[in-house]
Amino acid sequence: MFKYLVVAAIIPVLALASPTPFRTCPNNAPVPETFTVGDCTSLPCPIVRGQPLEAKGGNIISPVSTSTVEAYITVSLAGLDLDFPIPEELVDACANGINSCPLVAGQPFDYVFYDDDMNLPLGGITVQIRVGLRDGATEIACVEFDGALI
């Protein structure tokens, strides 16, 4: 009986810790070992206008050594890619989101994107969202997932 209680207690914890499903980006950039968007465990993830949004990429292996990392978001709607404006202070990922800059090629790092007030230009649609990190033209990491803009 005790083991059933332990299993019953563990299953909800595992469900809460489940990562967000994601796809590799079309550019085949490296992906994190784990990825979460808020508490989203199935697609599309709700992205709510005016609400905080936190996305975490864990154990990303950088393909290059660099001290400059730029964060970007691209939204794809009906096959059309649109750059998504993120606050200027969040573009410098070394200053906001990565605690281990400069990056060393082959070494893992974590990245946290946190926007306390998502300013969505559109609402009521589901889009493909790409969140990535780059150093100039070199892709450091990228994930793609479906998001419902609310």
Side-chain angles (χ1 to χ4, degrees):
M1 170 103 170
F2 180 71
K3 68 180 176 182
Y4 294 114
L5 291 175
V6 170
V7 169
I10 290 175
I11 288 175
V13 171
L14 292 176
L16 290 174
S18 295
T20 301
F22 67 89
R23 299 178 293 277
T24 301
C25 291
N27 60 12
N28 290 319
V31 296
E33 186 175 297
T34 61
F35 178 69
T36 58
V37 176
D39 59 359
C40 177
T41 58
S42 64
L43 300 179
C45 293
I47 311 294
V48 182
R49 180 185 314 226
Q51 296 294 313
L53 176 69
E54 182 176 70
K56 298 177 184 179
N59 204 28
I60 304 165
I61 306 296
S62 179
V64 297
S65 293
T66 182
S67 60
T68 58
V69 181
E70 175 187 349
Y72 68 91
I73 297 175
T74 303
V75 172
S76 183
L77 176 62
L80 181 63
D81 286 344
L82 307 166
D83 283 333
F84 186 84
I86 61 176
E88 188 63 35
E89 65 272 11
L90 299 179
V91 172
D92 181 352
C94 283
N96 291 289
I98 299 174
N99 293 328
S100 57
C101 282
L103 300 181
V104 177
Q107 295 295 309
F109 69 95
D110 296 334
Y111 171 68
V112 177
F113 174 87
Y114 181 79
D115 188 343
D116 60 355
D117 182 20
M118 282 303 294
N119 185 12
L120 300 174
L122 303 170
I125 58 174
T126 297
V127 297
Q128 291 179 335
I129 301 171
R130 276 183 224 119
V131 179
L133 301 171
R134 60 184 165 217
D135 175 18
T138 303
E139 292 288 329
I140 295 172
C142 184
V143 296
E144 182 177 273
F145 64 98
D146 298 329
L149 306 182
I150 302 171

